[in-house]
Amino acid sequence: MAQLPDAFIRRTADLLGQERGHALCEALNGVAPVSVRLNPIKSHDGLFANAEQVPWCTRGRYLESRPAFTADPLLHAGCYYVQEAASMFVEQAFKTIDETPARVLDLCAAPGGKSTLWRSLLPDGCLLVANEPVRQRAMVLAENLTKWGHPDVVVTQSYPADFAPLCGLFDIVAADVPCSGEGMFRKDEGARDEWSVEAVAQCAARQRQIVRDVWPALRQGGWLVYSTCTFNREENEDNIDYICRELGAECVPVAFDATWAIDGDQTGRGLPVCHFLPDRAKGEGFFLALLRKTAETDLPRRVKDRRRSGKDTPPAGVRQVTPWLKDSRPYKILQRPDGGLYAVREALAEVIGRIQACANVIQAGVDLAEPKGNKLVPAHAIALSTALSDEAFPRTNLDRTQALAYLRREALVLPADTPRGYVVACHEGHPLGFVNNLGARANNAYPAEWRIRSRHLS
Protein backbone atom coordinates (compact mmCIF):
# COMPACT_ATOMS: atom_id res chain seq x y z
CA MET A 1 0.00 0.00 0.00
CA ALA A 2 1.16 3.55 -0.72
CA GLN A 3 2.85 5.44 2.10
CA LEU A 4 0.90 8.04 4.02
CA PRO A 5 1.51 11.52 2.57
CA ASP A 6 4.23 13.40 4.46
CA ALA A 7 2.06 16.50 4.71
CA PHE A 8 -0.73 14.45 6.27
CA ILE A 9 1.67 13.03 8.87
CA ARG A 10 2.90 16.52 9.79
CA ARG A 11 -0.60 18.00 9.97
CA THR A 12 -1.84 15.10 12.10
CA ALA A 13 1.03 15.59 14.56
CA ASP A 14 0.25 19.31 14.74
CA LEU A 15 -3.43 18.57 15.44
CA LEU A 16 -3.12 15.66 17.88
CA GLY A 17 0.42 15.99 19.21
CA GLN A 18 3.45 13.90 18.22
CA GLU A 19 2.62 10.79 20.28
CA ARG A 20 -1.04 10.58 19.40
CA GLY A 21 -0.42 11.55 15.78
CA HIS A 22 2.13 8.75 15.44
CA ALA A 23 -0.30 6.25 16.99
CA LEU A 24 -3.03 7.23 14.52
CA CYS A 25 -0.70 6.93 11.53
CA GLU A 26 0.41 3.49 12.73
CA ALA A 27 -3.22 2.41 13.01
CA LEU A 28 -3.90 3.60 9.45
CA ASN A 29 -1.34 1.06 8.24
CA GLY A 30 -3.23 -1.76 10.00
CA VAL A 31 -6.30 -3.81 9.11
CA ALA A 32 -9.80 -2.38 9.36
CA PRO A 33 -12.48 -4.32 11.26
CA VAL A 34 -15.32 -5.91 9.27
CA SER A 35 -18.87 -5.04 10.28
CA VAL A 36 -22.45 -5.49 9.13
CA ARG A 37 -25.85 -4.21 10.21
CA LEU A 38 -28.99 -6.34 10.35
CA ASN A 39 -32.29 -5.30 8.80
CA PRO A 40 -34.98 -5.32 11.52
CA ILE A 41 -37.85 -5.72 9.04
CA LYS A 42 -36.25 -8.81 7.47
CA SER A 43 -35.36 -10.74 10.58
CA HIS A 44 -33.48 -13.98 10.11
CA ASP A 45 -32.91 -16.35 13.01
CA GLY A 46 -29.27 -17.14 13.58
CA LEU A 47 -27.80 -14.59 11.15
CA PHE A 48 -24.47 -13.52 12.71
CA ALA A 49 -25.90 -14.74 16.03
CA ASN A 50 -22.51 -15.18 17.68
CA ALA A 51 -20.92 -11.99 16.35
CA GLU A 52 -19.82 -9.17 18.65
CA GLN A 53 -22.25 -6.25 18.77
CA VAL A 54 -21.15 -2.80 17.68
CA PRO A 55 -21.72 -1.01 21.01
CA TRP A 56 -23.23 2.19 19.59
CA CYS A 57 -25.57 0.43 17.14
CA THR A 58 -28.30 -1.98 18.22
CA ARG A 59 -28.10 -4.13 15.11
CA GLY A 60 -24.46 -3.61 14.18
CA ARG A 61 -22.16 -6.63 14.32
CA TYR A 62 -18.39 -7.10 14.04
CA LEU A 63 -17.22 -10.13 12.08
CA GLU A 64 -13.98 -11.98 12.79
CA SER A 65 -13.09 -12.08 9.10
CA ARG A 66 -14.42 -10.81 5.80
CA PRO A 67 -16.54 -13.44 4.02
CA ALA A 68 -17.41 -13.39 0.32
CA PHE A 69 -20.46 -11.19 0.81
CA THR A 70 -21.38 -11.26 -2.87
CA ALA A 71 -21.87 -15.03 -2.59
CA ASP A 72 -24.46 -14.68 0.20
CA PRO A 73 -28.03 -14.56 -1.16
CA LEU A 74 -29.23 -13.05 2.12
CA LEU A 75 -27.21 -9.91 1.39
CA HIS A 76 -29.04 -9.55 -1.95
CA ALA A 77 -32.35 -10.18 -0.17
CA GLY A 78 -31.68 -7.16 2.05
CA CYS A 79 -31.35 -9.05 5.32
CA TYR A 80 -28.24 -7.06 6.23
CA TYR A 81 -25.94 -4.32 4.94
CA VAL A 82 -22.15 -4.28 4.97
CA GLN A 83 -21.34 -1.01 6.72
CA GLU A 84 -18.31 0.47 8.41
CA ALA A 85 -18.87 0.39 12.17
CA ALA A 86 -18.03 3.98 13.12
CA SER A 87 -20.59 5.40 10.67
CA MET A 88 -23.30 3.47 12.55
CA PHE A 89 -22.87 6.07 15.30
CA VAL A 90 -25.63 7.97 13.47
CA GLU A 91 -27.97 5.91 15.68
CA GLN A 92 -26.74 7.78 18.75
CA ALA A 93 -27.32 11.14 17.05
CA PHE A 94 -30.88 10.08 16.29
CA LYS A 95 -31.45 9.01 19.89
CA THR A 96 -30.34 12.48 21.03
CA ILE A 97 -33.04 14.19 18.96
CA ASP A 98 -35.91 14.79 21.37
CA GLU A 99 -38.81 14.60 18.90
CA THR A 100 -40.32 12.23 16.36
CA PRO A 101 -39.49 13.49 12.86
CA ALA A 102 -41.98 13.41 9.99
CA ARG A 103 -39.59 14.07 7.08
CA VAL A 104 -35.86 13.34 6.83
CA LEU A 105 -33.47 14.21 3.99
CA ASP A 106 -30.28 12.16 3.62
CA LEU A 107 -28.51 14.57 1.33
CA CYS A 108 -25.35 12.77 0.17
CA ALA A 109 -26.64 9.24 0.54
CA ALA A 110 -24.95 6.85 -1.91
CA PRO A 111 -24.27 4.00 -1.70
CA GLY A 112 -26.90 3.72 1.05
CA GLY A 113 -25.32 2.62 4.32
CA LYS A 114 -26.57 5.55 6.36
CA SER A 115 -29.87 5.72 4.43
CA THR A 116 -30.73 2.14 5.29
CA LEU A 117 -29.76 2.89 8.90
CA TRP A 118 -31.97 6.00 8.95
CA ARG A 119 -34.85 4.00 7.50
CA SER A 120 -34.46 1.40 10.26
CA LEU A 121 -34.42 4.07 12.96
CA LEU A 122 -37.40 6.07 11.70
CA PRO A 123 -41.01 5.13 12.48
CA ASP A 124 -43.40 3.92 9.79
CA GLY A 125 -45.08 6.89 8.15
CA CYS A 126 -42.00 9.09 8.43
CA LEU A 127 -40.72 9.90 4.94
CA LEU A 128 -37.05 9.37 4.15
CA VAL A 129 -35.71 11.19 1.08
CA ALA A 130 -32.38 9.69 0.05
CA ASN A 131 -30.48 11.84 -2.44
CA GLU A 132 -27.37 11.47 -4.57
CA PRO A 133 -26.39 14.01 -7.28
CA VAL A 134 -24.36 11.57 -9.46
CA ARG A 135 -26.62 9.45 -11.66
CA GLN A 136 -24.68 6.17 -11.49
CA ARG A 137 -24.30 6.39 -7.72
CA ALA A 138 -27.97 7.34 -7.35
CA MET A 139 -28.96 4.12 -9.12
CA VAL A 140 -26.84 2.10 -6.67
CA LEU A 141 -28.55 3.97 -3.83
CA ALA A 142 -31.97 3.09 -5.25
CA GLU A 143 -30.95 -0.57 -5.58
CA ASN A 144 -29.81 -0.81 -1.95
CA LEU A 145 -32.93 0.88 -0.61
CA THR A 146 -35.12 -1.36 -2.76
CA LYS A 147 -33.44 -4.39 -1.24
CA TRP A 148 -33.90 -2.93 2.26
CA GLY A 149 -37.62 -3.16 1.55
CA HIS A 150 -39.31 -0.25 3.36
CA PRO A 151 -41.96 1.58 1.31
CA ASP A 152 -41.71 5.04 2.94
CA VAL A 153 -38.71 6.14 0.87
CA VAL A 154 -38.11 8.53 -2.02
CA VAL A 155 -34.82 8.37 -3.96
CA THR A 156 -33.72 11.52 -5.76
CA GLN A 157 -30.84 12.56 -7.99
CA SER A 158 -30.50 16.28 -7.37
CA TYR A 159 -28.14 18.95 -6.08
CA PRO A 160 -28.55 20.41 -2.58
CA ALA A 161 -29.82 23.73 -3.95
CA ASP A 162 -32.72 21.92 -5.65
CA PHE A 163 -34.23 21.30 -2.21
CA ALA A 164 -34.05 24.94 -1.09
CA PRO A 165 -37.56 25.79 -2.41
CA LEU A 166 -38.98 23.18 -0.01
CA CYS A 167 -38.85 25.85 2.63
CA GLY A 168 -38.65 24.28 6.10
CA LEU A 169 -39.99 20.93 4.88
CA PHE A 170 -37.48 18.68 6.63
CA ASP A 171 -37.17 18.00 10.35
CA ILE A 172 -33.74 16.40 9.90
CA VAL A 173 -31.12 16.85 7.20
CA ALA A 174 -28.29 14.31 7.30
CA ALA A 175 -25.25 15.54 5.40
CA ASP A 176 -22.46 12.99 5.14
CA VAL A 177 -20.57 15.45 2.99
CA PRO A 178 -17.95 14.50 0.37
CA CYS A 179 -14.57 14.83 2.05
CA SER A 180 -10.83 14.24 1.67
CA GLY A 181 -11.26 10.68 2.92
CA GLU A 182 -8.45 10.53 5.47
CA GLY A 183 -10.48 8.10 7.54
CA MET A 184 -10.44 5.61 4.65
CA PHE A 185 -6.65 5.53 4.27
CA ARG A 186 -6.21 1.99 5.58
CA LYS A 187 -8.72 0.38 3.23
CA ASP A 188 -8.56 2.64 0.17
CA GLU A 189 -5.15 3.21 -1.38
CA GLY A 190 -6.72 5.62 -3.84
CA ALA A 191 -7.64 7.93 -0.99
CA ARG A 192 -3.95 8.20 -0.06
CA ASP A 193 -2.92 8.92 -3.64
CA GLU A 194 -5.58 11.62 -4.13
CA TRP A 195 -5.02 13.43 -0.82
CA SER A 196 -3.39 16.85 -0.71
CA VAL A 197 -3.51 19.97 1.43
CA GLU A 198 -5.18 21.73 -1.50
CA ALA A 199 -7.82 18.98 -1.71
CA VAL A 200 -8.60 19.45 1.99
CA ALA A 201 -9.21 23.17 1.44
CA GLN A 202 -11.37 22.48 -1.62
CA CYS A 203 -13.42 19.89 0.27
CA ALA A 204 -13.98 22.22 3.20
CA ALA A 205 -15.25 24.98 0.91
CA ARG A 206 -17.46 22.55 -0.97
CA GLN A 207 -18.93 21.24 2.29
CA ARG A 208 -19.86 24.76 3.40
CA GLN A 209 -21.53 25.36 0.05
CA ILE A 210 -23.53 22.12 0.33
CA VAL A 211 -24.85 23.08 3.76
CA ARG A 212 -25.60 26.67 2.67
CA ASP A 213 -27.52 25.42 -0.37
CA VAL A 214 -29.75 23.01 1.55
CA TRP A 215 -30.17 25.17 4.67
CA PRO A 216 -33.53 26.72 3.65
CA ALA A 217 -35.09 23.24 3.36
CA LEU A 218 -34.44 22.55 7.06
CA ARG A 219 -37.08 24.04 9.35
CA GLN A 220 -36.21 26.33 12.21
CA GLY A 221 -35.65 24.08 15.23
CA GLY A 222 -34.79 21.19 12.92
CA TRP A 223 -31.63 19.11 13.08
CA LEU A 224 -28.53 18.83 10.91
CA VAL A 225 -26.48 15.65 11.30
CA TYR A 226 -23.13 16.62 9.80
CA SER A 227 -20.53 13.93 9.23
CA THR A 228 -17.31 13.20 7.36
CA CYS A 229 -14.83 10.34 7.14
CA THR A 230 -11.82 12.55 7.69
CA PHE A 231 -9.74 13.88 10.61
CA ASN A 232 -8.65 17.44 9.84
CA ARG A 233 -10.07 20.54 11.51
CA GLU A 234 -10.93 22.41 8.30
CA GLU A 235 -13.56 19.89 7.23
CA ASN A 236 -14.76 19.18 10.75
CA GLU A 237 -14.56 21.63 13.68
CA ASP A 238 -13.93 24.69 11.52
CA ASN A 239 -16.98 23.96 9.39
CA ILE A 240 -19.15 23.34 12.46
CA ASP A 241 -18.05 26.69 13.84
CA TYR A 242 -18.91 28.30 10.48
CA ILE A 243 -22.39 26.75 10.34
CA CYS A 244 -23.17 27.91 13.87
CA ARG A 245 -21.89 31.46 13.36
CA GLU A 246 -22.91 32.19 9.78
CA LEU A 247 -26.04 30.13 9.21
CA GLY A 248 -27.56 30.11 12.68
CA ALA A 249 -27.25 26.86 14.64
CA GLU A 250 -26.19 25.42 17.96
CA CYS A 251 -24.08 22.31 18.37
CA VAL A 252 -25.79 19.78 20.63
CA PRO A 253 -23.84 17.12 22.57
CA VAL A 254 -24.35 13.46 21.65
CA ALA A 255 -23.94 11.24 24.70
CA PHE A 256 -21.65 8.22 24.48
CA ASP A 257 -20.06 5.66 26.76
CA ALA A 258 -16.45 6.35 27.72
CA THR A 259 -15.54 2.75 26.90
CA TRP A 260 -16.30 3.44 23.23
CA ALA A 261 -13.07 5.48 23.08
CA ILE A 262 -14.56 8.34 21.07
CA ASP A 263 -12.59 11.60 21.00
CA GLY A 264 -13.97 15.13 21.19
CA ASP A 265 -12.98 18.52 19.77
CA GLN A 266 -9.36 18.51 18.57
CA THR A 267 -9.09 22.30 18.26
CA GLY A 268 -9.46 23.43 21.88
CA ARG A 269 -12.78 25.23 21.34
CA GLY A 270 -14.79 22.75 23.39
CA LEU A 271 -17.28 21.97 20.62
CA PRO A 272 -19.43 18.93 21.53
CA VAL A 273 -18.37 16.87 18.49
CA CYS A 274 -17.41 13.21 18.07
CA HIS A 275 -14.25 11.85 16.45
CA PHE A 276 -13.62 8.17 15.77
CA LEU A 277 -9.85 7.74 15.50
CA PRO A 278 -8.77 4.20 14.51
CA ASP A 279 -5.92 4.01 17.04
CA ARG A 280 -8.56 3.93 19.80
CA ALA A 281 -12.10 3.38 18.49
CA LYS A 282 -12.98 0.12 16.74
CA GLY A 283 -13.86 1.47 13.34
CA GLU A 284 -12.59 3.67 10.54
CA GLY A 285 -12.07 7.42 10.80
CA PHE A 286 -15.38 9.25 11.28
CA PHE A 287 -16.54 12.64 12.51
CA LEU A 288 -20.08 13.58 13.55
CA ALA A 289 -21.73 16.70 14.90
CA LEU A 290 -25.39 17.26 15.71
CA LEU A 291 -26.69 20.80 15.18
CA ARG A 292 -30.05 22.42 15.84
CA LYS A 293 -31.08 25.19 13.43
CA THR A 294 -31.78 28.41 15.32
CA ALA A 295 -32.18 30.79 12.38
CA GLU A 296 -35.48 31.56 10.74
CA THR A 297 -36.23 29.51 7.62
CA ASP A 298 -35.75 31.42 4.38
CA LEU A 299 -38.78 32.18 2.24
CA PRO A 300 -39.29 29.69 -0.60
CA ARG A 301 -38.08 30.56 -4.07
CA ARG A 302 -40.21 30.13 -7.15
CA VAL A 303 -38.91 27.34 -9.34
CA LYS A 304 -40.00 25.53 -12.44
CA ASP A 305 -42.13 22.47 -11.66
CA ARG A 306 -40.03 19.45 -12.69
CA ARG A 307 -42.93 17.00 -12.71
CA ARG A 308 -43.77 15.46 -16.04
CA SER A 309 -47.42 15.01 -16.83
CA GLY A 310 -48.86 11.98 -15.09
CA LYS A 311 -52.25 10.82 -13.95
CA ASP A 312 -53.34 11.60 -10.42
CA THR A 313 -56.66 9.81 -10.90
CA PRO A 314 -56.79 6.05 -10.26
CA PRO A 315 -54.96 4.61 -13.29
CA ALA A 316 -55.90 1.57 -15.32
CA GLY A 317 -54.54 -1.58 -13.71
CA VAL A 318 -55.31 -0.61 -10.11
CA ARG A 319 -57.58 -3.61 -9.66
CA GLN A 320 -54.84 -5.90 -10.90
CA VAL A 321 -52.11 -4.61 -8.57
CA THR A 322 -54.07 -3.74 -5.43
CA PRO A 323 -54.15 -7.38 -4.20
CA TRP A 324 -50.36 -7.44 -4.40
CA LEU A 325 -50.20 -5.17 -1.34
CA LYS A 326 -50.42 -6.70 2.12
CA ASP A 327 -52.75 -3.87 3.13
CA SER A 328 -53.75 -1.49 0.35
CA ARG A 329 -55.77 0.86 2.56
CA PRO A 330 -52.91 3.21 3.57
CA TYR A 331 -51.65 3.52 -0.01
CA LYS A 332 -52.38 5.63 -3.04
CA ILE A 333 -51.58 3.99 -6.39
CA LEU A 334 -50.18 6.34 -9.01
CA GLN A 335 -48.99 6.04 -12.59
CA ARG A 336 -45.64 7.11 -13.96
CA PRO A 337 -45.41 8.76 -17.39
CA ASP A 338 -44.12 5.46 -18.82
CA GLY A 339 -47.28 3.67 -17.66
CA GLY A 340 -45.75 1.91 -14.68
CA LEU A 341 -47.61 1.88 -11.37
CA TYR A 342 -46.26 2.69 -7.91
CA ALA A 343 -47.75 3.03 -4.45
CA VAL A 344 -47.09 5.70 -1.85
CA ARG A 345 -48.59 6.07 1.56
CA GLU A 346 -51.71 8.25 1.18
CA ALA A 347 -50.60 10.48 4.05
CA LEU A 348 -47.30 11.17 2.24
CA ALA A 349 -48.66 11.71 -1.27
CA GLU A 350 -48.94 15.51 -1.03
CA VAL A 351 -45.41 16.03 0.31
CA ILE A 352 -43.98 13.57 -2.25
CA GLY A 353 -45.69 15.67 -4.93
CA ARG A 354 -43.92 18.76 -3.59
CA ILE A 355 -40.59 16.95 -3.76
CA GLN A 356 -41.29 15.78 -7.32
CA ALA A 357 -41.93 19.39 -8.28
CA CYS A 358 -38.35 20.49 -7.56
CA ALA A 359 -36.15 17.38 -7.42
CA ASN A 360 -35.40 14.62 -9.91
CA VAL A 361 -37.18 11.64 -8.36
CA ILE A 362 -35.83 8.23 -9.39
CA GLN A 363 -38.28 6.21 -7.36
CA ALA A 364 -41.00 6.92 -4.82
CA GLY A 365 -42.71 4.52 -2.48
CA VAL A 366 -42.74 1.03 -3.95
CA ASP A 367 -42.84 0.19 -7.64
CA LEU A 368 -45.69 -2.22 -8.33
CA ALA A 369 -45.86 -2.90 -12.05
CA GLU A 370 -44.02 -2.23 -15.29
CA PRO A 371 -45.65 -1.99 -18.74
CA LYS A 372 -44.84 -4.84 -21.09
CA GLY A 373 -46.71 -4.52 -24.36
CA ASN A 374 -50.37 -4.32 -23.48
CA LYS A 375 -49.85 -5.89 -20.06
CA LEU A 376 -48.61 -4.91 -16.65
CA VAL A 377 -46.03 -7.23 -15.11
CA PRO A 378 -44.90 -7.12 -11.47
CA ALA A 379 -41.98 -4.79 -10.78
CA HIS A 380 -38.92 -6.25 -9.10
CA ALA A 381 -39.24 -3.84 -6.16
CA ILE A 382 -42.55 -5.24 -4.94
CA ALA A 383 -40.97 -8.69 -4.53
CA LEU A 384 -38.43 -7.23 -2.08
CA SER A 385 -40.81 -4.88 -0.28
CA THR A 386 -42.33 -5.64 3.08
CA ALA A 387 -45.56 -4.25 1.59
CA LEU A 388 -45.93 -7.39 -0.55
CA SER A 389 -48.86 -9.65 0.35
CA ASP A 390 -47.85 -13.22 1.15
CA GLU A 391 -50.76 -14.43 -0.99
CA ALA A 392 -50.06 -12.24 -4.03
CA PHE A 393 -47.80 -14.71 -5.86
CA PRO A 394 -46.74 -18.33 -5.47
CA ARG A 395 -43.31 -18.79 -3.91
CA THR A 396 -40.49 -21.19 -4.55
CA ASN A 397 -37.51 -21.66 -2.26
CA LEU A 398 -34.04 -21.90 -3.79
CA ASP A 399 -31.04 -23.48 -2.12
CA ARG A 400 -27.78 -21.53 -2.12
CA THR A 401 -26.55 -22.90 -5.45
CA GLN A 402 -29.87 -22.19 -7.14
CA ALA A 403 -30.08 -18.74 -5.53
CA LEU A 404 -26.64 -17.77 -6.84
CA ALA A 405 -27.65 -19.00 -10.30
CA TYR A 406 -30.76 -16.85 -10.05
CA LEU A 407 -28.69 -13.82 -8.98
CA ARG A 408 -26.44 -14.38 -12.01
CA ARG A 409 -29.64 -14.24 -14.06
CA GLU A 410 -29.24 -17.80 -15.29
CA ALA A 411 -32.15 -19.96 -16.41
CA LEU A 412 -33.88 -22.03 -13.73
CA VAL A 413 -35.95 -25.19 -13.75
CA LEU A 414 -38.59 -25.10 -11.02
CA PRO A 415 -40.32 -28.07 -9.41
CA ALA A 416 -43.00 -29.61 -11.62
CA ASP A 417 -45.81 -28.58 -9.28
CA THR A 418 -44.88 -24.87 -9.37
CA PRO A 419 -47.80 -22.81 -10.70
CA ARG A 420 -47.32 -21.08 -14.02
CA GLY A 421 -46.89 -17.34 -14.21
CA TYR A 422 -44.93 -15.01 -11.96
CA VAL A 423 -43.42 -16.72 -8.92
CA VAL A 424 -41.38 -15.15 -6.09
CA ALA A 425 -37.98 -16.81 -5.84
CA CYS A 426 -36.86 -17.02 -2.20
CA HIS A 427 -33.82 -18.15 -0.27
CA GLU A 428 -34.39 -19.32 3.31
CA GLY A 429 -37.81 -17.68 3.09
CA HIS A 430 -36.56 -14.27 1.95
CA PRO A 431 -37.62 -13.00 -1.51
CA LEU A 432 -34.92 -12.37 -4.09
CA GLY A 433 -37.17 -11.42 -7.02
CA PHE A 434 -39.46 -12.89 -9.68
CA VAL A 435 -39.29 -15.72 -12.17
CA ASN A 436 -41.88 -16.22 -14.88
CA ASN A 437 -42.65 -19.92 -14.86
CA LEU A 438 -43.56 -21.14 -18.34
CA GLY A 439 -43.67 -24.80 -17.38
CA ALA A 440 -40.76 -26.36 -19.28
CA ARG A 441 -38.56 -23.46 -18.22
CA ALA A 442 -38.67 -20.34 -16.07
CA ASN A 443 -37.62 -16.93 -17.33
CA ASN A 444 -35.35 -15.20 -14.86
CA ALA A 445 -36.71 -11.70 -14.16
CA TYR A 446 -33.84 -10.50 -11.96
CA PRO A 447 -32.74 -7.00 -13.09
CA ALA A 448 -29.92 -7.33 -15.59
CA GLU A 449 -28.04 -4.38 -14.10
CA TRP A 450 -28.04 -6.00 -10.65
CA ARG A 451 -26.80 -9.44 -11.65
CA ILE A 452 -23.72 -11.04 -10.10
CA ARG A 453 -21.10 -11.05 -12.82
CA SER A 454 -18.55 -13.38 -11.23
CA ARG A 455 -18.77 -17.03 -12.32
CA HIS A 456 -16.38 -18.21 -9.63
CA LEU A 457 -18.67 -17.91 -6.62
CA SER A 458 -20.12 -21.09 -5.19
Side-chain angles (χ1 to χ4, degrees):
M1 181 174 282
Q3 295 296 311
L4 292 171
D6 290 340
F8 169 78
I9 296 173
R10 290 194 300 272
R11 284 164 54 90
T12 301
D14 290 342
L15 183 65
L16 302 177
Q18 287 290 339
E19 183 176 349
R20 187 71 196 281
H22 177 73
L24 175 59
C25 290
E26 285 291 305
L28 291 176
N29 288 318
V31 179
V34 180
S35 50
V36 300
R37 182 172 39 78
L38 304 175
N39 187 345
I41 58 175
K42 295 189 176 182
S43 59
H44 188 88
D45 292 341
L47 186 61
F48 307 119
N50 298 319
E52 176 190 352
Q53 181 178 335
V54 175
W56 46 83
C57 182
T58 306
R59 296 179 178 87
R61 300 291 184 271
Y62 290 111
L63 306 186
E64 293 183 356
S65 60
R66 189 176 188 87
F69 287 117
T70 304
D72 185 1
L74 294 178
L75 173 69
H76 301 275
C79 293
Y80 66 95
Y81 192 97
V82 183
Q83 184 180 11
E84 194 283 307
S87 62
M88 300 181 197
F89 188 69
V90 165
E91 179 173 319
Q92 300 304 315
F94 175 72
K95 288 181 176 179
T96 303
I97 295 172
D98 56 358
E99 58 184 282
T100 302
R103 294 173 291 274
V104 175
L105 171 62
D106 191 359
L107 187 63
C108 313
K114 295 180 186 67
S115 286
T116 54
L117 175 54
W118 276 111
R119 188 57 272 173
S120 294
L121 295 170
L122 299 172
D124 291 347
C126 174
L127 180 66
L128 172 66
V129 179
N131 178 71
E132 168 57 46
V134 180
R135 175 72 180 179
Q136 185 175 3
R137 287 171 54 82
M139 299 310 292
V140 174
L141 173 65
E143 175 185 341
N144 286 326
L145 282 165
T146 296
K147 290 175 177 177
W148 207 244
H150 200 290
D152 297 338
V153 174
V154 169
V155 179
T156 57
Q157 185 224 328
S158 292
Y159 290 98
D162 293 331
F163 295 97
L166 298 170
C167 184
L169 180 70
F170 295 103
D171 303 303
I172 299 173
V173 171
D176 187 50
V177 288
C179 68
S180 59
E182 296 165 352
M184 297 292 106
F185 276 0
R186 67 176 169 183
K187 74 174 187 179
D188 184 356
E189 189 166 355
R192 298 183 181 215
D193 295 336
E194 294 169 7
W195 185 93
S196 68
V197 175
E198 294 75 20
V200 169
Q202 290 169 0
C203 286
R206 182 186 183 191
Q207 291 153 359
R208 292 192 294 274
Q209 184 65 54
I210 287 171
V211 176
R212 282 198 303 270
D213 285 348
V214 79
W215 198 244
L218 179 63
R219 67 167 172 82
Q220 185 178 8
W223 303 83
L224 174 69
V225 181
Y226 178 97
S227 60
T228 73
C229 57
T230 203
F231 306 119
N232 65 76
R233 61 178 294 163
E234 293 94 331
E235 299 177 71
N236 295 328
E237 284 92 345
D238 290 356
N239 272 353
I240 297 306
D241 181 65
Y242 167 84
I243 294 168
C244 291
R245 286 186 296 102
E246 300 297 326
L247 301 184
E250 60 176 345
C251 195
V252 177
V254 176
F256 57 84
D257 192 301
T259 63
W260 299 351
I262 299 171
D263 284 85
D265 185 357
Q266 305 292 339
T267 66
R269 283 177 285 199
L271 293 168
V273 299
C274 299
H275 273 283
F276 284 74
L277 303 181
D279 62 309
R280 296 185 66 220
K282 192 173 180 181
E284 293 288 38
F286 186 65
F287 171 88
L288 183 142
L290 177 64
L291 300 100
R292 192 200 310 259
K293 181 176 179 178
T294 56
E296 292 185 4
T297 302
D298 295 342
L299 294 174
R301 296 181 295 141
R302 294 185 64 184
V303 294
K304 182 179 179 181
D305 193 325
R306 299 180 60 135
R307 284 177 289 187
R308 291 177 289 178
S309 59
K311 300 176 181 178
D312 194 36
T313 55
V318 166
R319 289 186 178 181
Q320 177 186 345
V321 302
T322 297
W324 299 353
L325 293 168
K326 188 179 298 181
D327 181 2
S328 63
R329 291 171 297 177
Y331 292 98
K332 183 176 185 178
I333 297 176
L334 301 170
Q335 187 172 39
R336 299 193 308 264
D338 67 1
L341 302 182
Y342 65 104
V344 300
R345 198 179 292 269
E346 183 87 39
L348 299 176
E350 186 273 335
V351 72
I352 290 174
R354 291 177 60 189
I355 293 165
Q356 289 172 324
C358 65
N360 180 28
V361 173
I362 292 176
Q363 73 182 40
V366 55
D367 284 340
L368 295 174
E370 307 286 351
K372 187 174 183 180
N374 297 324
K375 301 185 299 182
L376 285 172
V377 300
H380 181 73
I382 186 59
L384 292 164
S385 176
T386 56
L388 176 67
S389 169
D390 293 340
E391 290 76 40
F393 299 94
R395 300 191 175 208
T396 186
N397 201 59
L398 308 179
D399 63 24
R400 186 170 178 276
T401 300
Q402 293 170 319
L404 289 174
Y406 172 75
L407 294 167
R408 292 190 189 100
R409 221 167 175 268
E410 296 172 0
L412 297 175
V413 177
L414 302 181
D417 60 350
T418 305
R420 295 197 179 196
Y422 281 89
V423 176
V424 178
C426 302
H427 176 67
E428 297 186 14
H430 293 281
L432 298 170
F434 288 107
V435 293
N436 186 9
N437 185 29
L438 304 177
R441 61 185 174 86
N443 288 344
N444 191 328
Y446 196 70
E449 63 274 18
W450 293 12
R451 71 188 187 280
I452 296 175
R453 288 171 172 80
S454 173
R455 299 286 172 178
H456 304 292
L457 300 176
S458 59

